[in-house]
Amino acid sequence: MSDSFTDYHLANGGGTSGPSSDWWKWVLLAVVVGVCPPIGIIIFLGVLIFG
């Protein structure tokens, strides 16, 4: 499924754009929160404050 999903988006718009291009940051944040919640909270607040 991921191959056809990627092919569709590459063929129809040249990749991701806007907020959807930042999905990997949220995945990384979720992993950090799972491993060490205090650090994840600090990073999350930093993202909210500094964008």
Side-chain angles (χ1 to χ4, degrees), residues 33-49:
V33 169
V35 173
C36 187
I39 293 176
I41 293 170
I42 292 170
I43 293 172
F44 181 72
L45 291 176
V47 169
L48 287 179
I49 294 170

Side-chain angles (χ1 to χ4, degrees), residues 24-36:
W24 63 270
K25 294 179 184 177
W26 298 111
V27 172
L28 181 62
L29 180 63
V31 171
V32 171
V33 169
V35 173
C36 187

Side-chain angles (χ1 to χ4, degrees), residues 8-26:
Y8 172 81
H9 283 283
L10 290 175
N12 296 292
T16 59
S17 61
S20 62
S21 64
D22 294 336
W23 66 269
W24 63 270
K25 294 179 184 177
W26 298 111

